[in-house]
Amino acid sequence: MLTSLAYIFLVGLSMAAICQKIKLPRIIGMLFSGILLGPFVLELLDPSILNISAELRKMALVIILIKAGLSLDLGELKKVGRPAFLLAFVPACFELGGYVLLAPSLLGLSRTEAAVMGAVLAAVSPAVVVPRMVQLMEERYGTDKSIPQMILAGASMDDVFVIVLFATFLSMAQGSGANMLDFLNIPTSILLGIALGGASGWFLAWFFETSYARQHRIRNSTKVIILLGVSFVLLAVEQWTEKIVAISGLIAIVSMAMVVGAKSVPQVAERLREKYGKLWIAAEVILFVLVGAAVDIRYTMAAGPAAVVMIAAGLAFRAIGVSVCLLGTQLSLKERLYCIIAYLPKATVQAAIGSVPLSAGLPCGRMILSVAVLSILITAPLGAIGMDQSYRNLLTKQDG
């Protein structure tokens, strides 16, 4: 396992540096490092690390979500409440609808199978989007209209919505039918996640500021570890309660970090953000290299040109959905275009659930996995390049 970790860090960082040198996003180098090192090409990664790949990816995602939450200003987020709320589900619904309409004729699927495919493909990747929104907030691009905050909040909730839809449509495809109560899990999961995270954040902020903390001088580095530990507990709560009530652990983590950042002394909050920024350097490599390792490129050949057309059509439907969410806002055409670009990339959710229909024995499973793999290879670089290369031209830098 140690040798595999050495490959992940050294090859991942080297490929990222090469991509950065030729003006490409670092994520591309990390993804292709994972593909090369993974079990479907060079097979250099130990099976033991691949067995815990999902947990390692989730840990890395937790780190950037905490940093994002610490960077979010609740007051600014309230300004963009409606579009942020709509971005959590409207673009995904439009893209899923595009698959239901077009996949039967393009890929030969039934309507139900097309809905399963659409649910796999409709999720935006927070792993690609969130770090770039944090960067925009730090550089103050688009913050005058709270654009990065809006996209960050919407992208964080988007996955919860899509995964619930996926479970429902998968059940329908297996002949179990749809339980309408499952759809109630979407708002329940989001609201309970916000409440649980907010309560946890309030308690932690109080604890950090108590006389006990001042007397024993709890270091900021220790606070970083405590925040990580509580975040892992919040993810565990999601699993413990899944048969009783739905709670989104990821949203709880963002909510907790927001409250800690808002309630803490400004200097402490800034130090915590800096420390999580340093942690993200290692976590980013682990996240994207292991996402790449989960990509079986053998399935890309099976997808064919029709799959590329379907992915492009799905992105067009998604772009329309994003545009609908932004109706009535004060955003300019350039700023709206940036929001559309930010909602293109797919990676983590597709890598996590793309193979589930195949494992479940659905006849369409191989086709769904093929299109999911192809979507990662197309949209993750496309979205990353688009965001990195366009934000200075499409967004306004806030003074101060």
Side-chain angles (χ1 to χ4, degrees):
M1 182 181 287
L2 291 178
T3 306
S4 296
L5 285 172
Y7 287 143
I8 288 171
F9 284 120
L10 297 178
V11 177
L13 286 172
S14 299
M15 292 285 283
I18 291 170
C19 286
Q20 192 173 27
K21 193 73 174 176
I22 59 177
K23 307 299 183 184
L24 290 175
R26 290 164 54 84
I27 178 184
I28 296 176
M30 295 176 198
L31 285 172
F32 279 95
S33 295
I35 293 171
L36 290 173
L37 295 171
F40 309 111
V41 182
L42 298 179
E43 297 185 65
L44 292 177
L45 297 182
D46 192 286
S48 60
I49 205 165
L50 294 174
N51 290 338
I52 60 170
S53 172
E55 286 76 14
L56 290 174
R57 295 200 307 265
K58 189 166 284 188
M59 287 172 62
L61 189 57
V62 164
I63 289 171
I64 192 59
L65 286 175
I66 294 174
K67 187 174 189 298
L70 290 169
S71 302
L72 276 173
D73 186 313
L74 189 58
E76 291 181 352
L77 195 58
K78 287 179 180 177
K79 297 179 190 174
V80 291
R82 182 186 63 84
F85 172 73
L86 293 176
L87 284 169
F89 65 93
V90 172
C93 286
F94 270 74
E95 185 169 8
L96 197 153
Y99 277 89
V100 172
L101 286 173
L102 301 178
S105 56
L106 284 173
L107 302 175
L109 304 178
S110 69
R111 295 290 179 191
T112 304
E113 291 172 336
V116 175
M117 177 180 283
V120 172
L121 274 293
V124 71
S125 174
V128 180
V129 174
V130 172
R132 282 161 176 79
M133 296 307 106
V134 173
Q135 179 185 346
L136 290 185
M137 286 187 282
E138 290 174 348
E139 296 185 17
R140 302 183 68 80
Y141 274 94
T143 51
D144 56 329
K145 296 181 182 177
S146 303
I147 293 171
Q149 293 90 332
M150 174 183 69
I151 295 172
L152 192 155
S156 299
M157 292 186 285
D158 170 276
D159 287 359
V160 177
F161 175 72
V162 169
I163 289 171
V164 172
L165 288 184
F166 170 72
T168 302
F169 290 132
L170 182 65
S171 177
M172 291 173 61
Q174 292 175 309
S176 302
N179 184 355
M180 295 307 293
L181 290 177
D182 290 341
F183 291 102
L184 292 177
N185 284 336
I186 298 169
T188 302
S189 176
I190 292 171
L191 292 174
L192 288 180
I194 292 172
L196 178 62
S200 303
W202 181 88
F203 173 78
L204 286 175
W206 169 81
F207 175 71
F208 291 157
E209 297 301 320
T210 58
S211 57
Y212 172 86
R214 289 194 292 270
Q215 181 182 351
H216 291 80
R217 294 183 181 178
I218 296 181
R219 296 164 59 91
N220 289 327
S221 299
T222 305
K223 293 176 182 177
V224 166
I225 297 171
I226 292 172
L227 281 172
L228 270 179
V230 173
S231 298
F232 296 153
V233 171
L234 292 175
L235 288 178
V237 168
E238 178 179 357
Q239 295 179 339
W240 297 337
T241 62
E242 62 183 356
K243 293 183 179 179
I244 305 170
V245 66
I247 300 174
S248 171
L250 295 181
I251 291 177
I253 290 167
V254 176
S255 176
M256 175 197 70
M258 281 179 62
V259 174
V260 169
K263 295 289 185 181
S264 298
V265 176
Q267 295 88 338
V268 172
E270 181 59 32
R271 287 292 293 154
L272 290 175
R273 281 193 290 271
E274 288 178 6
K275 288 183 179 293
Y276 273 104
K278 293 173 182 176
L279 274 179
W280 174 242
I281 295 171
E284 180 185 34
V285 182
I286 292 174
L287 175 60
F288 290 115
V289 171
L290 290 178
V291 166
V295 171
D296 188 346
I297 59 172
R298 295 174 300 179
Y299 288 109
T300 59
M301 303 304 294
V308 178
V309 174
M310 185 65 253
I311 292 168
L315 293 179
F317 275 85
R318 171 172 282 272
I320 295 171
V322 174
S323 301
V324 168
C325 296
L326 302 178
L327 291 174
T329 65
Q330 297 180 346
L331 272 60
S332 67
L333 287 176
K334 286 184 176 182
E335 290 164 339
R336 292 171 194 237
L337 176 58
Y338 184 83
C339 294
I340 291 172
I341 294 170
Y343 255 65
L344 295 181
K346 305 171 187 303
T348 39
V349 174
Q350 288 70 30
I353 66 174
S355 62
V356 172
L358 182 61
S359 303
L362 295 187
C364 61
R366 188 173 295 273
M367 175 60 73
I368 290 175
L369 179 57
S370 301
V371 178
V373 169
L374 195 58
S375 75
I376 295 173
L377 296 177
I378 292 173
T379 65
L382 179 66
I385 292 171
M387 284 186 280
D388 289 349
Q389 299 299 319
S390 67
Y391 74 92
R392 288 187 177 88
N393 295 321
L394 298 181
L395 302 179
T396 303
K397 186 169 184 176
Q398 186 176 11
D399 294 331

